[in-house]
């Protein structure tokens, strides 16, 4: 089971890392064997403004992760939905991008914008950045919009997995249980297991 963290309990988090160049090791909290996290607090929007005046502001995360990356097999960077300096920091140091997209039209259109940002980042700061694929989320087979968007995603992108909209996802929120820990056989857990296998295979080959 994961240790459930209260982000406000920690003095050092992703904001202090980005804003005050906090030593990244001090920002990492262990949550279970082989899994640690750097927590985030709500005030990422304020951080965006604070970073505007910084030179090399796109590369702050890259510089920080260089200090710790040898200690980890995988570093996953969760990005805000809007494209911002925080997203660009993530794209500037990542090897791959995984794009979760709800199966609705506006989310589908959002991918185009993200692809533009990825392309600019590839040209300007990270030529190694590659798109791993899309995870189609919140899928509801009964809804025509969902079916149409899933078809369009499959036609245009590499879809690594499809997760249905199911209430079981929210069940573990209060207990700190990932959906894969509530029951390893639920449909969402199986879909994410498949995506994980794909990621591991891809990274082993690379
Ligand atoms: N397959 C699913 N079925 C039902 N609910 C889901 C599913 N996936 C995610 N949710 C719920 O949707 C909400 C948002 O999920 P999540 O935080 O993963 O999305 P997000 O796009 O990263 O959101 P944010 O923009 O806040 O970062 C959560 O309450 C989560 O439990
Ligand atoms: Mg999120």
């Amino acid at each position: 089971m994961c240790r459930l963290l209260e982000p406000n309990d920690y003095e050092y988090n992703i904001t202090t890392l980005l804003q005050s160049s906090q030593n990244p090791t001090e920002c990492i909290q262990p949550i279970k064997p082989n899994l640690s996290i750097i927590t985030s607090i709500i005030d990422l929007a304020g951080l965006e403004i604070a970073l505007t005046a910084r030179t090399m502001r796109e590369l702050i995360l890259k510089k920080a992760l260089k200090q710790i990356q040898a200690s980890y097999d995988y570093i996953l960077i969760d990005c805000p939905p809007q494209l911002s300096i925080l997203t660009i920091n993530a794209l500037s140091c990542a090897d791959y991008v995984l794009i979760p997209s709800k199966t609705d039209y506006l989310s589908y259109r959002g991918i185009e914008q993200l692809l533009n940002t990825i392309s600019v980042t590839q040209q300007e700061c990270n030529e190694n950045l590659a798109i791993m694929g899309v995870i189609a989320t919140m899928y509801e087979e009964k809804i025509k919009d969902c079916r149409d968007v899933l078809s369009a995603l499959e036609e245009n992108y590499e879809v690594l997995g499809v997760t249905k909209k199911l209430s079981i996802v929210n069940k573990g929120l209060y207990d700190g249980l990932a959906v894969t820990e509530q029951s390893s056989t639920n449909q969402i857990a199986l879909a994410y297991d498949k995506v994980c296998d794909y990621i591991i295979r891809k990274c082993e080959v690379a």
Side-chain angles (χ1 to χ4, degrees), residues 36-52:
S36 298
I37 192 168
I38 297 180
T39 57
S40 170
I41 50 169
I42 298 297
D43 192 28
L44 285 179
L47 175 64
E48 175 86 26
I49 297 164
L51 293 184
T52 310

Side-chain angles (χ1 to χ4, degrees), residues 91-203:
L91 294 174
S92 298
C93 58
D95 299 311
Y96 293 104
V97 191
L98 266 173
I99 308 173
S101 171
K102 285 185 194 165
T103 37
D104 62 50
Y105 183 67
L106 288 180
S107 303
Y108 176 74
R109 292 300 304 269
I111 297 179
E112 272 173 41
Q113 270 177 286
L114 175 63
L115 293 180
N116 286 336
T117 309
I118 290 172
S119 165
V120 172
T121 312
Q122 283 165 330
Q123 287 160 36
E124 296 191 359
C125 12
N126 185 1
E127 59 179 19
N128 297 323
L129 182 66
I131 296 169
M132 191 168 277
V134 171
I135 305 172
T137 67
M138 303 284 254
Y139 181 62
E140 292 180 274
E141 202 164 16
K142 284 188 195 142
I143 297 178
K144 185 175 179 305
D145 190 37
C146 279
R147 294 197 304 271
D148 291 347
V149 169
L150 181 60
S151 302
L153 285 172
E154 287 176 332
E155 225 165 85
N156 294 293
Y157 306 107
E158 171 123 34
V159 176
L160 308 181
V162 182
T163 58
K164 289 186 182 165
K165 184 173 179 181
L166 292 176
S167 56
I168 185 172
V169 169
N170 293 306
K171 264 190 170 171
L173 280 183
Y174 303 100
D175 306 322
L177 281 180
V179 70
T180 45
E181 293 169 314
Q182 296 165 40
S183 133
S184 57
T185 53
N186 77 63
Q187 292 181 41
I188 308 249
L190 293 174
Y192 280 118
D193 274 348
K194 233 178 89 187
V195 173
C196 286
D197 287 343
Y198 181 93
I199 295 170
I200 291 166
R201 274 200 314 275
K202 184 105 183 169
C203 293

Side-chain angles (χ1 to χ4, degrees), residues 78-81:
D78 183 27
C79 293

